[in-house]
Amino acid sequence: MDKIFSKKNFCCGCTACYSACPKQAITMAEDEQGFLYPEISGDLCVDCGICKSVCAFQNGYNPPLFLDNRPVYAMKNKDEKTRSASSSGGVFPALAVNFLKKGGVVYGAGFDNNFDIEHIRISSGEEISKLQGSKYVQSKLENTFAQVENDLKNGIPVMFTGTGCQIQGLRESLKKDYDNLFLVDIICHGAPSPKVFRDYKALMEKKHGSKIKRLDFRGKKIYSETQDMYIEFENGKAYSEFPNIDMFISLFAKNLTLRPSCYECVYTNTQRPSDITLGDYWGIRQIMPEFDDKKGVSLLIANTKKGADSAKEILPYFNYRESSLENALQPNLKSPTKRPDCCDDFWRDYRQQGLEYVYKKYTDATALFKINRRVKNKIKKALKK
């Protein structure tokens, strides 16, 4: 078998094919944009077709058995420390703690020693901070699905958190349902390039003369309402910037650095492949203005009975309001992110000129724009005093 897909648009990089191959004939190789794609070794492949059969992105998928009326909540963790360390309302750490108390393990996206993003496994509450916060880069899965299957077969309950494509990729690779598997998907805008992120980190370390010590894609350190990019360096310096000015986030917000399949994502609808769907509660100010305190509100959609039961177990730890699926709908629960017309030009310029060049050419973050935003922020702070 030469290829699993005819165009890169048809591969989301979920690694289901890699994990399911009985001959280990598939490797995940990085392309020039920094995304991983399966490559088949002709010497090892026996043309069994399993790799194509588990590709839900091309073949379609069946969601789990949904509840007739799915419970939907707007949620704020009562523990302000936990909420402050989270991207929005602090639901994920509560679900994880509850699951760990039952003797389970939790998988999710975290940083490695170089601040690259990979899926990791935790087994104690002390490790939850490794998985907290948004990670705006496609995480590396490698042998994660095999590790999950091994845990499940050994009777260890598993909570797996990821994007819709990663959740369904796991379901396909397992080939069966497990009662001790709990799936939580994140409403995803799209997966930015790991290569662009590596270039960004290298530039930031060069500019600040030090290695990165801590990085938060949605920090609440200075601009809590806008949730700035926040980086601490080993030399004691710190960087905090508005998301529409920061080099990496502004390009992400322009939809330029996403994986090609994200523009055709089959999971951007309400047919979620998980027990629970989590995200920011977009539009909370219009729907429940009295509930919004500008510190982050989470959206939780319980898709299955397993999900609804888990949600009920953590509700005592939250200030919450019941909502509806209709009110909770947001762009990526309706359709994929739109591909910019200039995408091909962007990637050509990125390859030839580098990250700083495309940042200046394709974003609005000019020097004057930075000054204006900072002046406005100072005025707002002064008015609050």
Side-chain angles (χ1 to χ4, degrees):
M1 182 174 294
D2 295 328
K3 287 187 177 181
I4 302 170
F5 51 89
S6 58
K7 294 194 304 181
K8 286 184 176 180
N9 308 50
F10 299 153
C11 175
C12 61
C14 72
T15 73
C17 56
Y18 166 83
S19 300
C21 179
K23 298 297 182 179
Q24 297 181 320
I26 297 175
T27 56
M28 299 298 293
E30 185 173 293
D31 75 347
E32 59 186 2
Q33 293 181 0
F35 297 108
L36 296 176
Y37 291 90
E39 290 189 354
I40 300 174
S41 168
D43 294 336
L44 298 175
C45 179
V46 294
D47 206 26
C48 64
I50 290 176
C51 55
K52 281 193 173 182
S53 71
V54 299
C55 183
F57 202 87
Q58 295 182 88
N59 302 331
Y61 67 100
N62 293 316
L65 184 61
F66 286 160
L67 296 170
D68 290 335
N69 294 301
R70 285 181 267 179
V72 179
Y73 302 100
M75 305 175 69
K76 299 185 296 190
N77 201 307
K78 292 178 180 178
D79 184 341
E80 287 299 328
K81 185 177 180 181
T82 298
R83 188 178 170 207
S84 178
S86 302
S87 296
S88 50
V91 172
F92 166 75
L95 285 171
V97 166
N98 190 51
F99 199 83
L100 291 166
K101 285 180 179 178
K102 299 176 182 179
V105 296
V106 178
Y107 287 81
F111 292 111
D112 68 9
N113 293 332
N114 295 315
F115 286 92
D116 291 327
I117 314 299
E118 63 180 6
H119 255 65
I120 61 177
R121 175 186 188 269
I122 66 169
S123 57
S124 69
E126 291 74 22
E127 299 175 284
I128 286 178
S129 60
K130 296 179 181 179
L131 304 183
Q132 275 184 272
S134 297
K135 310 293 192 305
Y136 292 144
V137 181
Q138 184 162 38
S139 60
K140 189 182 293 185
L141 287 165
E142 294 187 323
N143 296 311
T144 301
F145 290 174
Q147 191 177 14
V148 169
E149 185 173 23
N150 185 63
D151 281 337
L152 294 171
K153 287 181 176 179
N154 286 324
I156 301 173
V158 171
M159 172 178 162
F160 185 90
T161 306
T163 59
C165 58
Q166 291 173 332
I167 295 289
Q168 188 59 33
L170 174 62
R171 292 180 68 205
E172 295 291 339
S173 71
L174 292 174
K175 303 182 185 69
K176 59 174 285 189
D177 294 328
Y178 286 85
D179 291 336
N180 55 342
L181 176 62
F182 180 52
L183 299 171
V184 179
D185 84 282
I186 308 299
I187 301 171
C188 179
H189 180 78
S193 161
K195 185 178 187 302
V196 173
F197 184 53
R198 290 197 300 269
D199 287 349
Y200 169 79
K201 289 183 297 175
L203 277 172
M204 295 302 290
E205 290 181 340
K206 182 179 180 181
K207 288 183 176 183
H208 291 83
S210 179
K211 286 287 199 180
I212 293 172
K213 179 182 177 182
R214 177 183 173 182
L215 189 149
D216 192 338
F217 289 96
R218 293 177 62 180
K220 298 179 181 179
K221 295 295 179 183
I222 298 177
Y223 313 116
S224 61
E225 187 173 343
T226 56
Q227 298 188 329
D228 49 299
M229 170 69 94
Y230 180 77
I231 305 175
E232 290 180 5
F233 299 88
E234 291 180 357
N235 62 4
K237 293 182 180 180
Y239 163 89
S240 184
E241 189 51 273
F242 287 111
N244 54 352
I245 294 178
D246 175 75
M247 188 179 299
F248 182 79
I249 300 297
S250 60
L251 288 169
F252 166 53
K254 292 286 186 180
N255 305 329
L256 289 164
T257 58
L258 306 186
R259 189 181 182 100
S261 61
C262 294
Y263 305 116
E264 301 181 28
C265 181
V266 298
Y267 305 104
T268 48
N269 52 59
T270 57
Q271 299 301 298
R272 314 306 293 178
S274 63
D275 297 299
I276 278 179
T277 296
L278 294 181
D280 297 324
Y281 200 121
W282 286 27
I284 191 69
R285 291 183 193 177
Q286 288 73 41
I287 297 167
M288 305 176 195
E290 77 290 346
F291 192 62
D292 178 36
D293 58 4
K294 300 179 182 179
K295 295 181 181 180
V297 179
S298 292
L299 166 67
L300 185 152
I301 304 171
N303 301 312
T304 66
K305 184 179 184 304
K306 190 186 296 185
D309 290 344
S310 295
K312 286 181 181 178
E313 290 173 358
I314 65 169
L315 284 181
Y317 303 99
F318 285 82
N319 295 312
Y320 67 93
R321 299 286 187 275
E322 293 185 10
S323 185
S324 67
L325 193 58
E326 181 181 7
N327 282 341
L329 289 181
Q330 50 187 265
N332 291 111
L333 284 177
K334 298 177 183 178
S335 61
T337 296
K338 187 178 184 300
R339 186 180 190 270
D341 294 335
C342 62
C343 226
D344 291 337
D345 293 335
F346 166 81
W347 284 112
R348 182 201 64 229
D349 288 339
Y350 171 67
R351 288 192 300 271
Q352 295 176 357
Q353 304 291 340
L355 183 57
E356 287 186 292
Y357 177 86
V358 293
Y359 167 64
K360 292 174 183 177
K361 180 175 179 178
Y362 291 94
T363 73
D364 303 319
T366 63
L368 180 60
F369 183 65
K370 292 181 184 181
I371 293 170
N372 287 342
R373 287 301 300 268
R374 286 174 178 149
V375 168
K376 288 179 181 179
N377 189 62
K378 287 180 179 179
I379 293 172
K380 286 181 181 179
K381 285 187 175 181
L383 290 174
K384 289 180 180 179
K385 291 182 179 179

